[in-house]
């Protein structure tokens, strides 16, 4: 049974453009290297090398791309990778595309991130921007020029991510600068 699962992993890697060095059901060094390359493209730098968790396996079996696609931007891809790396540990957050394109899956991931930042539990967060999310953002997501993300929160980064997804050129960092304020005002 494990050999069949590894063969599926190898086939998925081939389909996504990663060479696992065989389609033989053996999780050897080539397969581990291909998994590591895909995980790096997904935005993971600190996860266990060569390990395929259930969420990584699910991401492997989707049609999502983890490399920059035509029409996508490197800035949007950086945000997508950061969202994956930051929130994958949450129950309902799954690996999202890292193709640099703003899509429905990217929007849903961004809403999940907002819901986590306002303190919604995994049982409550659902990826839909409804009244609870709106009120939570209104209550928790206010900051002024020069504000930085306080310990553990990511409001500045999420705000920058939303601007980047809307084609504004801002740095993807945790500080709300005077130039960010000018972008918002314009």
């Amino acid at each position: 049974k494990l050999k069949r699962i590894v063969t599926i992993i190898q086939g998925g890697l081939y389909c996504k453009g990663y060479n696992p060095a065989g389609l033989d059901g053996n999780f050897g060094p080539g397969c581990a290297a291909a998994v590591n390359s895909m995980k790096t493209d997904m935005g993971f730098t600190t996860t266990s090398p060569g390990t395929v968790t259930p969420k990584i396996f699910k991401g492997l079996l989707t049609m999502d791309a983890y490399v920059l696609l035509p029409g996508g931007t490197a800035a949007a891809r950086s945000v997508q990778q950061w969202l994956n790396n930051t929130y994958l540990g949450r129950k309902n957050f799954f690996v999202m595309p890292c193709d640099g394109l703003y899509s429905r899956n990217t929007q849903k991931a961004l809403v999940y991130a907002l819901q986590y930042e306002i303190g919604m539990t995994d049982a409550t967060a659902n990826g839909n921007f409804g009244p609870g999310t709106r009120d939570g953002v209104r209550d928790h997501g206010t900051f002024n020029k020069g504000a930085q993300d306080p310990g553990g929160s990511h409001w500045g980064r999420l705000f920058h991510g939303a601007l980047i997804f809307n084609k504004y050129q801002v740095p993807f960092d945790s500080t709300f600068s005077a130039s960010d304020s000018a972008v918002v005002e314009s």
Side-chain angles (χ1 to χ4, degrees):
K1 185 175 182 176
L2 181 59
K3 198 169 184 94
R4 285 183 286 192
I5 292 171
V6 172
T7 303
I8 291 169
I9 290 169
Q10 290 171 325
L13 288 164
Y14 273 123
C15 289
K16 290 228 182 264
Y18 302 95
N19 184 357
L23 194 60
D24 57 6
N26 294 311
F27 200 98
C31 188
V35 166
N36 290 341
S37 292
M38 181 184 69
K39 287 170 59 176
T40 298
D41 288 343
M42 290 174 162
F44 305 114
T45 55
T46 59
T47 57
S48 304
T51 303
V52 179
T53 65
K55 288 184 178 183
I56 298 295
F57 189 60
K58 181 179 179 180
L60 175 64
L61 299 178
T62 68
M63 294 298 293
D64 295 337
Y66 304 111
V67 296
L68 189 62
L69 293 180
T73 68
R77 183 170 185 256
S78 293
V79 177
Q80 292 169 321
Q81 291 174 316
W82 177 82
L83 285 164
N84 279 341
N85 194 48
T86 303
Y87 297 104
L88 190 67
R90 299 299 295 255
K91 181 180 177 186
N92 295 317
F93 192 96
F94 293 92
V95 178
M96 64 180 290
C98 295
D99 54 12
L101 299 169
Y102 187 64
S103 65
R104 183 175 191 272
N105 286 338
T106 299
Q107 172 63 30
K108 188 169 188 170
L110 183 61
V111 172
Y112 267 118
L114 291 171
Q115 290 173 332
Y116 300 144
E117 292 301 321
I118 63 175
M120 285 188 179
T121 66
D122 287 336
T124 306
N126 61 12
N128 296 315
F129 197 95
T133 306
R134 182 198 61 226
D135 293 344
V137 169
R138 185 180 304 138
D139 293 343
H140 300 286
T142 303
F143 44 90
N144 297 314
K145 285 185 244 181
Q148 290 189 321
D149 289 341
S153 75
H154 302 292
W155 288 107
R157 282 197 182 271
L158 290 174
F159 184 73
H160 283 147
L163 287 172
I164 289 167
F165 291 145
N166 283 285
K167 307 291 186 198
Y168 291 96
Q169 294 183 4
V170 296
F172 184 57
D173 60 22
S174 60
T175 302
F176 185 69
S177 68
S179 62
D180 295 334
S181 180
V183 167
V184 172
E185 288 175 19
S186 71

